[in-house]
Amino acid sequence: MNKKRSNTLLPLMQLLPAVAAAAAVLFALPRTVPVLAAVPERLTAVVEQPAEAASSEAEEEALPKLPYADGVYVGSSRGYGGTVRVQVTMENGSITEVEILDASHETKQFLRRAKRLLTTVVDAQSWEVDAVSEATYTSRGILGAVQNALTGEVVNNPLPPQPKPAAPLVVEEFTAPSTYLDGIYTAEAIGFEGKITVQVTVAEDKITDITILSAEDEEEYLSRAKRVIPAILEGQNPNVDAVSGATYSSTGILNAVKLALAKAAVAPAEETAPEQTASEEVVEEAAPSEAAEPEETPVTVPTVEVVQPEEKSTVPAWFKEVWQQLFPADAPDDSEPASSEEVLPTSETALPPEETGTEPETEGAAE
């Protein structure tokens, strides 16, 4: 009997641990359900809290509060070709915008690269950022201008290396002529880096057009130098001032225009050429009549030779004695007569015929 009872109670005893466990679970279940239900919420809160803290910390790092009052500030600094001016806007202690007001002296292609810094400064909330490669001096000009705008400090950026001109600066002399010959004239002169070739058009004695055919100077400086062209056309004279900031290029244009106008100038000799030609024609017409005059009077040459002083002859002493005997009141002057022709005819007519026949003997005795 005892064995049969024990065999019957054995399965029940084996179920006791399971029943106890179920009873414990049933007893603790009302308390654990709310706890388990709150677990997902607690896990979500734990995950979201670090993310929110990280984002707020990132915002604090990305947008630091700068010690500058809200407003709009303007500053400047030296770039590559000259002064760069910027405008900085401050709102809620942060840089919200950077704008370039003036960078006219900078090369356009380098300025385009350096403009990337406008966004970089706003993102970093600082001007202490790296300059843009291949636009270093222009970048320094922008960053230095931002610093000057916010702090008021003068930023002295290093000067860029100065290129050397191709030739010394020479200003051609030019004197405006009284008249220009109409036409198109070309000439060249030296600018900063090389030759500048211009074409000048003259119509109705006026300079009507000036065109630059070619130039070796940089376009940035050449565009400034072209300002001399309207000044020349307005004053009708290339003696105008060079452009500041493009002295060599503008002087090259002026020199080339002067050389071109020198080709169009009418020289004073050319202006009087028609009058001279007319006078020469008159001389040529008169020359044949003047040449014919010596042929009509060929006896003038012997007459000049006869009256030469060397051919004067002296009056013989016997002639003076005879003359005094015949004409004692009118004695001849001791001075020699001008020529033998003036004395001899008179003596021949005054002497008697017999004295004339003995003239050779008397002359021999006198000798």
Side-chain angles (χ1 to χ4, degrees), residues 297-308 311 341:
T297 56
V299 294
T300 55
V301 175
T303 304
V304 174
E305 293 179 356
V306 170
V307 296
Q308 292 297 328
E311 296 182 1
E341 294 180 356

Short mmCIF file of all heavy atoms in Angstrom, two decimals, residues 297-308 311 341:
data_model
loop_
_atom_site.label_atom_id
_atom_site.label_comp_id
_atom_site.label_asym_id
_atom_site.label_seq_id
_atom_site.Cartn_x
_atom_site.Cartn_y
_atom_site.Cartn_z
N THR A 297 74.89 142.00 -126.87
CA THR A 297 75.89 143.03 -126.57
C THR A 297 77.24 142.37 -126.28
O THR A 297 77.71 142.35 -125.16
CB THR A 297 75.45 143.85 -125.37
OG1 THR A 297 75.22 142.96 -124.27
CG2 THR A 297 74.19 144.63 -125.67
N PRO A 298 77.86 141.80 -127.28
CA PRO A 298 79.14 141.11 -127.05
C PRO A 298 80.29 142.06 -126.82
O PRO A 298 81.36 141.64 -126.44
CB PRO A 298 79.35 140.31 -128.34
CG PRO A 298 78.60 141.08 -129.37
CD PRO A 298 77.41 141.71 -128.67
N VAL A 299 80.13 143.38 -127.09
CA VAL A 299 81.23 144.32 -126.98
C VAL A 299 81.47 144.78 -125.55
O VAL A 299 82.39 145.53 -125.30
CB VAL A 299 80.97 145.55 -127.87
CG1 VAL A 299 80.99 145.15 -129.33
CG2 VAL A 299 79.63 146.20 -127.48
N THR A 300 80.62 144.40 -124.61
CA THR A 300 80.78 144.89 -123.25
C THR A 300 82.02 144.33 -122.59
O THR A 300 82.68 145.01 -121.81
CB THR A 300 79.55 144.50 -122.42
OG1 THR A 300 79.35 143.08 -122.51
CG2 THR A 300 78.30 145.21 -122.92
N VAL A 301 82.41 143.14 -122.90
CA VAL A 301 83.59 142.55 -122.27
C VAL A 301 84.86 143.27 -122.67
O VAL A 301 85.66 143.65 -121.82
CB VAL A 301 83.65 141.05 -122.57
CG1 VAL A 301 84.93 140.44 -122.01
CG2 VAL A 301 82.42 140.34 -122.05
N PRO A 302 85.13 143.53 -123.97
CA PRO A 302 86.36 144.28 -124.31
C PRO A 302 86.40 145.67 -123.70
O PRO A 302 87.45 146.17 -123.35
CB PRO A 302 86.32 144.34 -125.85
CG PRO A 302 85.45 143.20 -126.24
CD PRO A 302 84.43 143.06 -125.17
N THR A 303 85.25 146.34 -123.59
CA THR A 303 85.23 147.68 -123.03
C THR A 303 85.73 147.69 -121.60
O THR A 303 86.48 148.55 -121.18
CB THR A 303 83.80 148.25 -123.08
OG1 THR A 303 83.34 148.22 -124.43
CG2 THR A 303 83.74 149.66 -122.53
N VAL A 304 85.37 146.65 -120.81
CA VAL A 304 85.81 146.56 -119.42
C VAL A 304 87.29 146.36 -119.35
O VAL A 304 87.99 146.91 -118.51
CB VAL A 304 85.04 145.43 -118.70
CG1 VAL A 304 85.58 145.23 -117.30
CG2 VAL A 304 83.55 145.72 -118.67
N GLU A 305 87.85 145.60 -120.28
CA GLU A 305 89.28 145.32 -120.24
C GLU A 305 90.10 146.56 -120.60
O GLU A 305 91.19 146.75 -120.11
CB GLU A 305 89.61 144.18 -121.20
CG GLU A 305 89.01 142.85 -120.75
CD GLU A 305 89.32 141.76 -121.73
OE1 GLU A 305 89.94 142.08 -122.78
OE2 GLU A 305 88.96 140.61 -121.47
N VAL A 306 89.58 147.43 -121.44
CA VAL A 306 90.33 148.59 -121.90
C VAL A 306 90.54 149.59 -120.78
O VAL A 306 91.57 150.22 -120.69
CB VAL A 306 89.59 149.26 -123.08
CG1 VAL A 306 90.21 150.62 -123.42
CG2 VAL A 306 89.61 148.35 -124.29
N VAL A 307 89.58 149.68 -119.85
CA VAL A 307 89.67 150.71 -118.82
C VAL A 307 90.34 150.21 -117.56
O VAL A 307 90.17 150.79 -116.50
CB VAL A 307 88.26 151.24 -118.49
CG1 VAL A 307 87.65 151.91 -119.68
CG2 VAL A 307 87.37 150.08 -118.00
N GLN A 308 91.08 149.13 -117.61
CA GLN A 308 91.75 148.62 -116.43
C GLN A 308 92.84 149.59 -116.01
O GLN A 308 93.53 150.19 -116.85
CB GLN A 308 92.37 147.25 -116.71
CG GLN A 308 91.33 146.15 -116.95
CD GLN A 308 90.48 145.93 -115.73
OE1 GLN A 308 90.97 146.09 -114.62
NE2 GLN A 308 89.22 145.60 -115.93
N GLU A 311 96.56 149.60 -117.55
CA GLU A 311 96.89 150.02 -118.90
C GLU A 311 97.09 151.54 -119.03
O GLU A 311 97.19 152.08 -120.09
CB GLU A 311 95.77 149.60 -119.85
CG GLU A 311 95.64 148.09 -119.94
CD GLU A 311 94.57 147.68 -120.92
OE1 GLU A 311 93.95 148.58 -121.53
OE2 GLU A 311 94.37 146.47 -121.09
N GLU A 341 93.92 157.11 -124.61
CA GLU A 341 92.92 157.45 -125.61
C GLU A 341 92.37 158.84 -125.38
O GLU A 341 91.98 159.53 -126.30
CB GLU A 341 91.79 156.42 -125.60
CG GLU A 341 92.25 155.05 -126.03
CD GLU A 341 91.11 154.06 -126.01
OE1 GLU A 341 90.00 154.47 -125.57
OE2 GLU A 341 91.29 152.91 -126.41
#
